[in-house]
Amino acid sequence: MAAVKCIGILTSGGDAPGMNAAIRAVTRSAIYHGFEVKGIMRGYKGLVTGEILNFTSKSVSNIIQLGGTILKTARCKEFTTPEGRKIAYENMKAAGIDALVVIGGDGTLTGAKIFAEEYDVPIVGLPGTIDRDLGGTDHTIGYDTALNTIIDSVDKLRDTASSHERLFFVEVMGHTAGYLALYSALASGSEAAIIPEMDTEVDQLAELIGNGFRKSKNSAIVIVAENPETGGATALAERVKKEYPEYDARVTILGHIQRGGSPSARDRILASRMGYAAVEAITEGQRNVMIGIQNGKIAYVPIAKALQQRKEIVRNHLELVKILSI
Ligand code: F6P
């Protein structure tokens, strides 16, 4: 493998708070190690269109506290085709980039894996997603901030739920994973979390209202993970109207508000450590790995493994939500 002289950085897929802290850490660690740095705009799209900028230490000044991503992000159709990836490779080479650090979630890492299989490009991934749905890492950049945003909102909703004696279904993001729902329920003292991991096993609504939910409670908050297959919180509220008309049910969908805002201290620290580790990985000749955090320590995780082996839901924690809301 030819020596790496220049590292390109991109952010792709859904933005996540802490991506800027990661861009800053990668840029400055790379400069510290003597690499040139290029910022690629709009994820893989910038590789296809050749929107590539020279980055200096100043390019990443005063961004650690900002949500979103200064590199912008996109979900790029062209990059999913072999023709698009060929153009991307040619543009990358023309810009003098010989290694990539990609920051994003499963779509971003899937793109990285395919690109690395087709072309001889060392790629290091950073898990940047509020969904926390990647394997080989205990946390992802953005998850903690999103969790805090959710609990801030739920704390406010509780005032109305309690004053009007209502049952609130609060829908949160998570793609196909229930981590945001489960842990925001635990952290906000909600009555239950309804998550996709349990959908095929039990009728979670019947269990909540029919068997478990205390009738003497005058209000309740149930956190529901988004789920296009079942219809999420809206479908549950419709069911309540028909099957349990004694409850005054309401729906709040938190939506993209969960992706915004200044990153928490935890996300900034995670992004800074992971960004530095990504550059170290390149200096060590690592390729096609994602930087993970396992029991507080940095780990190199093969991208394929990160994509296949999502962490399992801790069922005891789901049970704990119920126990603590009796
Ligand atoms: O992956 C992050 C995420 O916010 C998911 O939780 C959600 O399902 C999806 O992105 C929404 O995507 P978009 O921004 O394209 O609506």
Side-chain angles (χ1 to χ4, degrees):
M1 185 182 68
V4 173
K5 292 202 187 82
C6 173
I7 298 175
I9 315 170
L10 61 84
T11 50
S12 163
D15 63 322
M19 278 183 162
N20 281 326
I23 295 168
R24 170 180 178 271
V26 174
T27 302
R28 295 213 168 139
S29 307
I31 292 168
Y32 171 78
H33 280 289
F35 294 109
E36 259 182 77
V37 184
K38 306 261 167 154
I40 299 155
M41 297 303 291
R42 299 179 176 79
Y44 294 116
K45 199 169 187 184
L47 279 182
V48 176
T49 57
E51 243 187 306
I52 300 169
L53 311 173
N54 292 328
F55 257 32
T56 63
S57 179
K58 201 159 173 244
S59 312
V60 294
S61 284
N62 209 9
I63 64 167
I64 195 168
Q65 76 282 16
L66 302 179
T69 158
I70 59 158
L71 288 174
K72 314 286 181 201
T73 184
R75 302 188 203 271
C76 176
K77 271 240 171 80
E78 295 96 310
F79 196 74
T80 61
T81 67
E83 299 75 35
R85 289 192 294 275
K86 184 166 180 285
I87 297 171
Y89 181 72
E90 285 163 1
N91 283 337
M92 193 191 110
K93 282 286 144 191
I97 297 171
D98 27 42
L100 284 178
V101 175
V102 302
I103 309 168
D106 57 354
T108 306
L109 292 182
T110 303
K113 183 173 164 286
I114 298 170
F115 197 47
E117 279 161 7
E118 284 175 351
Y119 298 97
D120 187 24
V121 183
I123 305 185
V124 177
L126 293 188
T129 167
I130 63 164
D131 301 331
R132 195 189 167 201
D133 58 350
L134 292 163
T137 188
D138 295 340
H139 284 281
T140 57
I141 297 164
Y143 170 75
D144 181 65
T145 308
L147 204 53
N148 280 293
T149 300
I150 297 170
I151 63 169
D152 277 354
S153 306
V154 174
D155 288 350
K156 294 193 172 101
L157 281 170
R158 195 171 278 289
D159 293 341
T160 301
S162 134
S163 305
H164 285 262
E165 303 184 306
R166 281 177 180 162
L167 165 59
F168 263 89
F169 290 105
V170 183
E171 184 172 297
V172 301
M173 283 184 167
H175 194 211
T176 56
Y179 304 105
L180 279 174
L182 170 55
Y183 291 102
S184 62
L186 195 55
S188 62
S190 293
E191 275 59 35
I194 295 192
I195 59 173
E197 287 82 350
M198 297 297 287
D199 263 343
T200 51
E201 294 189 20
V202 282
D203 181 343
Q204 296 179 80
L205 183 68
E207 195 185 69
L208 169 75
I209 297 186
N211 314 323
F213 184 59
R214 214 158 38 104
K215 290 264 165 33
S216 60
K217 255 190 180 173
N218 293 331
S219 70
I221 295 198
V222 176
I223 311 286
V224 185
E226 64 177 349
N227 190 337
E229 276 172 32
T230 60
T234 309
L236 287 170
E238 285 301 315
R239 269 190 67 192
V240 169
K241 245 186 223 163
K242 286 193 197 117
E243 297 170 36
Y244 309 96
E246 66 275 26
Y247 290 98
D248 187 13
R250 290 289 189 281
V251 174
T252 299
I253 297 175
L254 293 183
H256 291 83
I257 209 160
Q258 295 162 89
R259 291 225 302 254
S262 183
S264 65
R266 205 179 163 132
D267 274 331
R268 296 181 197 195
I269 292 166
L270 185 66
S272 301
R273 288 185 65 196
M274 285 182 160
Y276 180 78
V279 175
E280 278 223 308
I282 290 171
T283 62
E284 288 170 18
Q286 295 278 346
R287 44 200 294 142
N288 314 331
V289 291
M290 181 195 81
I291 304 298
I293 190 106
Q294 297 171 2
N295 298 319
K297 294 210 170 77
I298 291 290
Y300 298 152
V301 184
I303 288 181
K305 192 173 165 201
L307 288 168
Q308 279 156 16
Q309 298 177 3
R310 182 197 286 182
K311 274 171 80 68
E312 283 202 5
I313 281 281
V314 182
R315 283 164 187 256
N316 288 351
H317 293 172
L318 197 57
E319 203 46 41
L320 191 56
V321 173
K322 289 186 207 157
I323 294 170
L324 297 183
S325 70
I326 53 172

